[in-house]
Amino acid sequence: MNVYHPKLTAGLWLAGMLVICVLGIQALTKDWLETGFLALLPTNEQQPEIANAIRQHNEPLNRKLIWLAGAGTSQEAISLAQKLKQQLEQSKLFNKVVLEQPQQQYIQQYRQLFPYRYQLLDVHTQAILAPDPDQLLRQNLEILNSPIGQMQAADLERDPALIFSRYFSAQNPVKLNLEQGIVVLSDRQRFWAVLLTDLQDERLQLDKLETLSSLVNSATKQVKTAGGELLVSGMALFTAHGAESAKQEISTVGIGSSLGIIVLLWVTFRSVRPLLLSSIAIGSGLLAALVVCVLFFSKIHILTLVFGASLIGVADDYAQHFLCDSFGEKDWNPRKGLKFILPGLSLGLISNLLSYAGLGFSPFPGLQEVALFSAIGLLVAWLTVVLLFPLLLTGFRFDHQPGILKLTTYWEERWPLWVNDNRRWLGLMLTVFVAGGLWTLKPQDDVRLLQSPPAELLRSADKIRSLFPMSPDNQFFLVSGKGQADWHQNEQRLLKRLDALKQQKELTAYQGLSSYWPDVNQQQQNYQLLKHKLYDSGLLERYMSDLGFDKTPVQAEYKQFAAAEHNTLALPEWLATADETKQQLWLGCDDGRCQSTVALIGINDLNALKAVQDLPGVVWVDQVESVSSLFARYRIRASGLLLAAFFLASLGLGYKFGWRNGVTIMSVPAVSLAVSLAMLGWFDQLFSLFNLFALLLVLGIGVDYGLFFFMAGDRRASTSLGVTLSALTTLLAFGLLAISSTEIVHAFGFTVTAGIVTALLCAPLIGLRN
């Protein structure tokens, strides 16, 4: 303070903010806002191959939306879907809108694979042909004499044993009803025409998400007006809802905190200058936090801005302590005020930065962003108060005694006395309350708590899943092997087990590449199986004769069969003919190690599927379970971090003020932490990793309040005013978080709110002179 020059420090602050503004102009002109749910989850905790498999598995799911137009008759449903298709195409949100199934694609695939028909046998055909080829031919005759036999008869000359027709039909694991080339489903009430869309970008910007939500609402109203019903499902809808909720919460928290602060400051100071100074401290902190985060992470999640909006109440603390100190003595001036409050402000800043640093050690990108955003915001707000306020407050004096000062002074004098007089029964009640709350506290680590979608959206998704079981579930198997042959063998073992589970109704369907593409060895075995069972045995010749074929087509068939003996279909060639869904199953070969995923549809028993991972080269991948277990592990680590931060703060304060005084100051955050946890238990609130990081903030705030009262000396009245205003503004911010519809945001706000109220009640008990 002996070399402190207000004009010089104010100039330094101005230069720093100009740099921030220049960097902000560069950083905030690009796409910097992240809205996707998966961006909140860690990727570095998993093995690279598993992370890559999850990414490839999720990409098509993130882009795809399923639309079901329902009506009383199939024709009405198709008509509604056709009108809907036009509306979706006009929106320009989708790169693919599919109503009629692409017949040309099937025809092209048929032509490309047909030359390899003797090498391509589906599993079911293999299972019948090996023990009893006569049964296969009898089934053919039944098919030809059935209502669909006329369609099969067209292929008889080219595929007399219907071998390739069987293989091609097995490409689709779930059979669907087609009318006019459109998939039509039905339940007891309605017929449903299916329309599939792929978004142009799986990570839509906020304006595109708003457009998507408006499109869904508009389409739903139009279909309803026409007497139908519309069901829509897709990850993008959950993202859009989360983004909209976050946007509303940013407005609620930001506007609510700002209005509350304005009212409190006006009632207290009755002057425009304190309002402007607080606005400068808050605004500079938030601007710097936003710019630095975008520069560091390149993109930040919208939930970071929700928590960032709550920073308004905390960033204003430093300004209020400085302003309230002016009521402490008659000959106050900015230099004297800063000299008195600087140690407390600095120690409080350090404790808060340590708390936010705890968030930064988590593997969750969302928490890392919140940690950096909050730390930079508080640091710049502190610098604004220390560097700029002394100049702007030069010659300024309050000429009134605020009414709230009288209230806080009365409360600060009376409340400790009442607590001291009733300390026995209050201590007993506090002990029972804390013990009871901790006893009922139950941790919840389910990653799905990160999202709180509306019930209507969940009902639509469940209804679509029951009617149209085609979309893969989030869980899948990762299969690997040392080369293609080893991989193919491992996947075949897995598919046999999955087929048994499918027969037991534990699973609706599955998709694995080796179901459709046999490796080179299997292709030769398939050819030899046909040769031995049908061609060399003369069984096929008799069968064709019974169907009315003369010798010429029979000889032609045998000649084609002989010529195809050495045909081989490589995997890349087969993949080139496959649809996108099947192509996504292949992960490729790297250093001789080949990998693929096996997608699962309609899982009914997760435990039965988990048991299958005992096979060689097979790994069960459940992103929900793995991230939830990660939550549980880091909840335990965060508990250790909280204890370490507590003891570190205790050591620092004990060294600075003496061990007895250090324990006295730390009693404020200790009681605040205990009461916060107990409140979670008594009110049956979510207790997870995020609550523990909220408790780190409670620790920092509790240390702040205890320090200010311990160092208040003869200025307990102004300190009480500063702490009370600080608590009220912080409560406005975090209290508004507690009304969030997102479970983790609500729990975060609830935890911090309970801790701040407790710290506000405990802090005046510190520093009393007997």
Side-chain angles (χ1 to χ4, degrees), residues 337-393:
L338 181 60
K339 184 177 181 179
F340 176 74
I341 68 168
L342 185 58
L345 286 182
S346 301
L347 289 172
L349 174 68
I350 292 171
S351 65
N352 276 307
L353 292 181
L354 286 174
S355 299
Y356 282 113
L359 295 178
F361 286 112
S362 76
F364 301 95
L367 286 177
Q368 293 170 1
E369 291 173 12
V370 169
L372 184 60
F373 192 101
S374 302
I376 295 297
L378 289 183
L379 177 60
V380 173
W382 181 88
L383 287 171
T384 302
V385 170
V386 173
L387 299 180
L388 185 64
F389 275 31
L391 178 64
L392 298 184
L393 283 174

Side-chain angles (χ1 to χ4, degrees), residues 17 20 28 32 282-297 300 304-305 308-309 311 369-381:
M17 291 310 301
I20 290 292
L28 301 180
W32 55 269
I282 294 169
S284 59
L286 292 181
L287 175 63
L290 178 60
V291 172
V292 171
C293 273
V294 172
L295 290 174
F296 188 83
F297 294 106
I300 62 173
T304 301
L305 298 184
L311 192 66
E369 291 173 12
V370 169
L372 184 60
F373 192 101
S374 302
I376 295 297
L378 289 183
L379 177 60
V380 173

Side-chain angles (χ1 to χ4, degrees), residues 31-43:
D31 176 22
W32 55 269
L33 188 62
E34 180 68 70
T35 54
F37 163 69
L38 295 177
L40 292 169
L41 303 181
T43 56

